[in-house]
Amino acid sequence: MKNIPLVAVVAMAENRVIGKDGAMPWSIPSDLKRYRRLTMGKPMIMGRKTLQAIGRVLDGRDTIVLTRQESLPFEGAHLAATPEAALELAMACATSRGSDEIVIAGGEEIYRLFFDKLELLYVTEVMGEPEGDAGFPAIDPAVFEPVRREEASHAERDTAATRFTVYRRVPAS
């Protein structure tokens, strides 16, 4: 079976905050459109709280929920009890769909579990430092290098300006 890269898709503030009280501390419709483009047709591994915050299984994507619970209130989500089981299920979904990436979609604990395996980071940097109770791991420039950057934008309905950066894991020497 070919190696399908693990990637993270995340929106985080300048202080690395990604959430507060089970929700994002901003509303950025323009970034939700980008999120849809980046994740469409790909398996997504997320935690139960992230799925509950979204409120539904997203169309056109396989939702794999890493949780200790035995059931979910969302039809169509796949349950995985361990990170290894989640990866195995994601690999099978990616292979059957012909996906070129497996998305790690959060929250904080899920990002941390898979961080050492990530090959790319698709990061929406939210300008500002809101309070929060969930964060994204620090991006070490010795480990991840920026390979693409879109300068700050602020659409009419967005509550904060953003900059989008793609980071690639630096090859081991």
Side-chain angles (χ1 to χ4, degrees):
M1 189 183 318
K2 76 174 191 162
N3 183 36
I4 300 170
L6 289 184
V7 305
V9 179
V10 63
M12 74 171 177
E14 292 170 294
N15 57 357
R16 298 190 357 253
V17 164
I18 61 172
K20 181 178 178 167
D21 300 327
M24 289 185 286
W26 48 72
S27 173
I28 306 175
S30 64
D31 188 54
L32 293 177
K33 289 177 185 167
R34 175 187 291 123
Y35 185 86
R36 180 176 174 83
R37 280 193 316 271
L38 288 170
T39 61
M40 185 55 69
K42 299 174 184 174
M44 300 171 59
I45 298 174
M46 65 182 68
R48 176 188 48 81
K49 293 178 198 170
T50 298
L51 178 61
Q52 288 176 320
I54 294 170
R56 62 186 171 89
V57 172
L58 298 173
D59 66 313
R61 293 154 272 196
D62 298 296
T63 302
I64 299 154
V65 182
L66 181 53
T67 181
R68 289 177 282 276
Q69 295 190 348
E70 293 184 18
S71 65
L72 290 171
F74 299 98
E75 197 170 314
H78 305 279
L79 282 175
T82 66
E84 297 77 21
L87 275 178
E88 191 175 311
L89 189 51
M91 249 344 145
C93 290
T95 301
S96 72
R97 277 187 182 268
S99 302
D100 59 350
E101 295 175 329
I102 293 170
V103 175
I104 304 302
E108 178 177 358
E109 188 178 341
I110 304 302
Y111 287 127
R112 289 189 191 289
L113 274 172
F114 291 100
F115 201 73
D116 290 341
K117 293 178 171 71
L118 295 171
E119 294 184 35
L120 289 171
L121 310 175
Y122 296 104
V123 180
T124 297
E125 300 164 15
V126 180
M127 303 301 118
E129 296 194 2
E131 288 185 27
D133 53 21
F136 191 75
I139 300 171
D140 182 344
V143 178
F144 288 100
E145 62 185 349
V147 293
R148 192 172 104 223
R149 184 167 270 144
E150 293 173 19
E151 283 314 306
S153 65
H154 192 151
E156 184 179 331
R157 294 178 37 225
D158 295 346
T159 61
T162 62
R163 177 177 49 231
F164 180 69
T165 305
V166 178
Y167 295 88
R168 178 180 58 214
R169 182 173 291 278
V170 175
S173 49

